[in-house]
Amino acid sequence: PMERTMEYYLQKGFVPKMAAYFAAGRRTITEVVPNRDFSLTLTFDNGEQRILDVAPLLREGTVFAPLRDWNHFSRVYLDEDHAVSWDIDPKVDSKVVWSNKVDLCPDSCYVDSVPISGGEVRA
């Protein structure tokens, strides 16, 4: 079987940033902290901390628009798949009503975030 190299993922149609991420080995988010500027501080299973700017996603007419309200945005959590998640209605169980949740793909969270200066762990 072909080794899972960057070239392998590029041949599969991945963009270079995502190909490099998958070739290096996927990461799991272990903690999410909301920041007042509508970014998230993410901690990954290797101890690395990164900042994800969520503000560009919070456009009117999108599923993320309600998160422009800090009270909604600050209720972020990690679901059972370690995806960054928000319940649209906090009184509704999103495990029962799946359409009550909006979430972000953990792989995209890593690729689209930037390392916190001095917080990067080198393997």
Side-chain angles (χ1 to χ4, degrees):
M2 185 175 193
E3 193 179 338
R4 302 281 198 243
T5 61
M6 184 151 169
E7 291 72 31
Y8 169 85
Y9 290 106
L10 289 171
Q11 288 173 359
K12 293 284 185 193
F14 285 62
V15 297
K17 257 177 106 171
M18 198 59 90
Y21 165 76
F22 274 92
R26 298 173 74 187
R27 294 279 163 225
T28 301
I29 304 170
T30 58
E31 183 182 14
V32 59
V33 177
N35 302 310
R36 292 297 296 193
D37 64 355
F38 294 92
S39 69
L40 299 170
T41 301
L42 304 173
T43 304
F44 291 86
D45 56 355
N46 63 347
E48 184 178 2
Q49 287 194 310
R50 298 174 70 91
I51 298 288
L52 178 66
D53 182 9
V54 182
L57 299 176
L58 309 182
R59 292 187 306 275
E60 193 60 50
T62 70
V63 294
F64 295 104
L67 302 178
R68 294 189 304 190
D69 177 331
W70 172 252
N71 292 319
H72 293 303
F73 184 81
S74 64
R75 290 196 321 257
V76 65
Y77 67 94
L78 294 177
D79 71 8
E80 59 278 357
D81 299 316
H82 298 271
V84 172
S85 306
W86 291 268
D87 292 330
I88 296 165
D89 181 342
K91 296 181 279 308
V92 174
D93 184 348
S94 291
K95 289 180 184 155
V96 177
V97 182
W98 66 268
S99 60
N100 186 55
K101 182 171 85 172
V102 293
D103 58 17
L104 300 173
C105 167
D107 299 323
S108 295
C109 286
Y110 188 90
V111 171
D112 295 338
S113 61
V114 295
I116 295 176
S117 306
E120 191 167 350
V121 173
R122 303 209 184 275

